[in-house]
Amino acid sequence: MPTRPYVIDEMISAKSIAARIEHMCHDIRAEFSDTDKLIVVGLLRGSFVFIADLVRELDLPIEVDFLEASSYGDGMESSREVRILKDLRGAIEGRDVLVVEDIVDTGHTLHHVTSLLRSRGPARLKTAALLDKPTRREVDLRADFTGFDIPDEFVVGYGIDFAQRNRNLPFIGKVRFTGDA
Ligand code: IMP
């Protein structure tokens, strides 16, 4: 549970998110229109709302799987050391894979996960991220499909949490502290 009082200022509306996902799916469909062996892999837990909207907009024959990697814990700083807490249920060798991430921040999580999945021999591996904080990057990577570039702010909502709270907000908002602990 967060220990300091805070408010959430809306940054990206639910309507803007929906419009942007529609565009992203247009590009993703173009990339994968030739395949019937696509697995969409959601990174838990932050991507669960994004992936739900993304796959319903995608209109391709897909399978869905999930992988959970450790990242922020309950704080606001990336741990940098990435551990796999829950692995995929299925094999991806010879399959096409789209990894779906909520936010690319330092880049360590996506780098670790894509290196791991590449070692399993997928036919093609692409990445989609709803949000990107390019100024925070420590690993040189960029998702193949990105929703919005945002400034270095701590954000919540649309699946994304602050100490496990606020995942159920329909929009993306930034956390603004209003007092001391
Ligand atoms: P990275 O490994 O530093 O790129 O961190 C990626 C993960 O950190 C994301 O999947 C999120 O779970 C978490 N994260 C990064 N920025 C934020 C934020 O602003 N709010 C909440 N979680 C975040």
Side-chain angles (χ1 to χ4, degrees), residues 5 11 26 31 48 54 56 66 75 78 91 97 99 105 147 155 163 171:
M11 183 190 258
H26 181 266
E31 171 70 40
F48 79 102
L54 191 85
R56 283 180 293 175
F66 292 97
S78 172
V97 177
V99 177
D105 184 42
V155 294
F171 57 86

Side-chain angles (χ1 to χ4, degrees), residues 1-145:
M1 213 173 127
T3 49
R4 288 169 67 192
Y6 64 95
V7 294
I8 296 164
D9 300 323
E10 183 169 308
M11 183 190 258
I12 307 172
S13 69
K15 209 170 153 192
S16 304
I17 296 170
R20 184 67 193 122
I21 289 178
E22 214 181 302
H23 273 93
M24 290 178 83
C25 284
H26 181 266
D27 296 343
I28 294 170
R29 259 196 310 275
E31 171 70 40
F32 290 109
S33 60
D34 60 342
T35 181
D36 61 359
K37 52 181 183 179
L38 176 61
I39 305 180
V40 181
V41 171
L43 298 195
L44 294 173
R45 281 170 265 177
S47 76
F48 79 102
V49 177
F50 178 39
I51 193 173
D53 283 347
L54 191 85
V55 295
R56 283 180 293 175
E57 193 65 44
L58 211 45
D59 192 22
L60 286 174
I62 60 161
E63 292 175 26
V64 176
D65 205 341
F66 292 97
L67 188 146
E68 184 170 11
S70 65
S71 56
Y72 273 37
D74 278 353
M76 294 177 90
E77 264 303 311
S78 172
S79 59
R80 291 181 180 80
E81 214 178 283
V82 183
R83 287 178 303 126
I84 301 300
L85 304 177
K86 180 208 166 296
D87 207 338
L88 299 176
R89 286 287 290 274
I92 57 166
E93 188 176 354
R95 306 287 301 263
D96 292 317
V97 177
L98 177 69
V99 177
V100 176
E101 167 76 304
D102 55 353
I103 310 182
V104 184
D105 184 42
T106 63
H108 288 288
T109 305
L110 200 57
H111 175 70
H112 184 92
V113 167
T114 53
S115 304
L116 174 74
L117 297 186
R118 273 201 190 94
S119 74
R120 297 179 183 176
R124 180 170 22 170
L125 189 145
K126 298 284 176 183
T127 53
L130 179 66
L131 304 175
D132 190 341
K133 297 185 202 170
T135 59
R136 296 260 309 157
R137 198 71 88 256
E138 293 176 9
V139 181
D140 183 23
L141 63 78
R142 173 104 180 146
D144 297 294
F145 308 97

